């Protein structure tokens, strides 16, 4: 499957401008509410939103549109993930470590109640992304997050250049990269999505 789309530096510029205005608004609400619970909430929300935007930008512009020198998928090797969706590089140890680190970071943020909360929100967004991505590539995701998994399956199968974010649909909606709402996920799509080609290749190599 062709996962690389035509790069658009102008689109990246517009995304950065629009997102910056949203971040400025959310964070300004937080600073306005300093001394109240709203200070923590808005700063945390702002940090989380910054992560979701980073997820969108990295996925779209660095993994698919390849706005990096050379225009080759050598930075993330994202085409390999599309070729073999079930073969996830991040393992249980990585997720456990980030979870413990996330708990510690959020505890510090709550105790300090300072601008560090923005980073806590950002890291929590990354943490949620890590676990959510894992679950979306498991069959149980159909029952836990049916709509999100549907969008991610479409991204991996029929619409690789749409649906760049699954932490929130905000950015795909705002930047017009949502997959069509009427498209249904077929059994063939699910079969390809959950198939681990590496395991098949290993089995084949052992049998020869």
């Amino acid at each position: 499957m062709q996962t690389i789309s035509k790069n658009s530096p102008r689109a990246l510029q517009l995304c950065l401008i629009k997102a910056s205005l949203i971040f400025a608004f959310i964070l300004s609400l937080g600073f306005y509410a300093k001394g109240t619970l709203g200070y923590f909430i808005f700063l945390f929300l702002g940090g989380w939103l910054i992560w979701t935007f980073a997820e969108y930008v990295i996925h779209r512009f660095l993994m698919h549109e390849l706005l990096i020198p050379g225009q080759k998928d050598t930075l993330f090797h994202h085409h390999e993930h599309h070729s073999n969706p079930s073969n996830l590089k991040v393992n249980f140890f990585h997720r456990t470590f980030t979870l413990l680190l996330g708990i510690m970071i959020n505890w510090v943020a709550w105790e300090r109640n300072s601008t560090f909360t923005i980073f806590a929100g950002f890291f929590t967004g990354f943490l949620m992304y890590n676990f959510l991505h894992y679950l979306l590539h498991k069959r149980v995701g159909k029952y836990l997050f049916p709509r999100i998994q549907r969008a991610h399956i479409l991204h991996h199968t029929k619409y690789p250049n749409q649906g760049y974010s699954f932490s929130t649909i905000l950015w795909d909606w705002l930047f017009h990269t949502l997959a069509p709402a009427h498209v249904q996920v077929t059994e063939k799509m699910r079969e390809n999505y959950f198939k681990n080609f590496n395991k098949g290749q290993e089995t084949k190599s052992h049998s020869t």
Side-chain angles (χ1 to χ4, degrees):
M1 178 193 297
Q2 176 60 259
T3 61
I4 300 173
S5 61
K6 183 178 179 181
N7 67 65
S8 49
R10 177 62 176 169
L12 175 58
Q13 293 172 358
L14 292 174
C15 288
L16 290 171
I17 292 171
K18 291 180 180 180
S20 296
L21 293 174
I22 293 174
F23 300 148
F25 175 71
I26 296 294
L27 294 176
S28 65
L29 290 177
F31 289 119
Y32 180 77
K34 192 168 185 178
T36 69
L37 181 60
Y39 178 69
F40 181 90
I41 292 175
F42 282 115
L43 262 58
F44 187 90
L45 176 62
W48 176 78
L49 272 177
I50 291 172
W51 159 255
T52 64
F53 180 67
E55 173 201 343
Y56 178 89
V57 166
I58 292 170
H59 194 182
R60 176 180 175 180
F61 294 105
L62 297 187
M63 294 182 179
H64 283 268
E65 297 190 9
L66 303 181
L67 286 177
I68 54 175
Q71 301 299 308
K72 295 180 180 180
D73 188 15
T74 55
L75 183 60
F76 295 100
H77 299 284
H78 190 59
H79 64 284
E80 295 180 5
H81 178 53
H82 273 263
S83 299
N84 191 2
S86 295
N87 186 29
L88 302 177
K89 302 296 184 183
V90 181
N91 58 35
F92 177 78
F93 171 78
H94 297 137
R95 291 187 176 86
T96 302
F97 175 76
T98 54
L99 176 60
L100 295 175
L101 186 59
I103 292 173
M104 183 179 70
I105 288 173
N106 277 280
W107 177 79
V108 172
W110 179 259
E111 288 295 314
R112 294 186 59 177
N113 196 25
S114 65
T115 52
F116 181 76
T117 303
I118 299 174
F119 176 72
F122 181 90
F123 192 86
T124 299
F126 168 72
L127 181 63
M128 293 170 62
Y129 160 86
N130 245 320
F131 279 92
L132 182 58
H133 192 213
Y134 173 80
L135 291 172
L136 291 180
H137 282 277
K138 300 298 178 182
R139 295 187 184 276
V140 69
K142 177 182 179 180
Y143 306 101
L144 297 175
F145 312 102
R147 292 185 179 181
I148 303 176
Q149 190 184 72
R150 169 197 167 274
H152 202 52
I153 291 176
L154 289 177
H155 172 74
H156 268 277
T157 54
K158 196 172 183 179
Y159 298 96
N161 298 308
Q162 291 174 296
Y164 293 110
S165 174
F166 48 78
S167 293
T168 173
I169 67 167
L170 171 64
W171 307 115
D172 279 304
W173 170 78
L174 187 61
F175 304 132
H176 311 291
T177 52
L178 280 173
H182 66 276
V183 178
Q184 298 297 318
V185 173
T186 66
E187 284 305 313
K188 183 67 175 178
M189 289 180 183
R190 288 189 179 278
E191 180 184 342
N192 290 332
Y193 179 75
F194 289 113
K195 185 184 295 182
N196 192 322
F197 294 101
N198 279 356
K199 286 184 178 180
Q201 291 171 0
E202 289 172 4
T203 303
K204 186 176 180 179
S205 63
H206 286 311
S207 62
T208 56

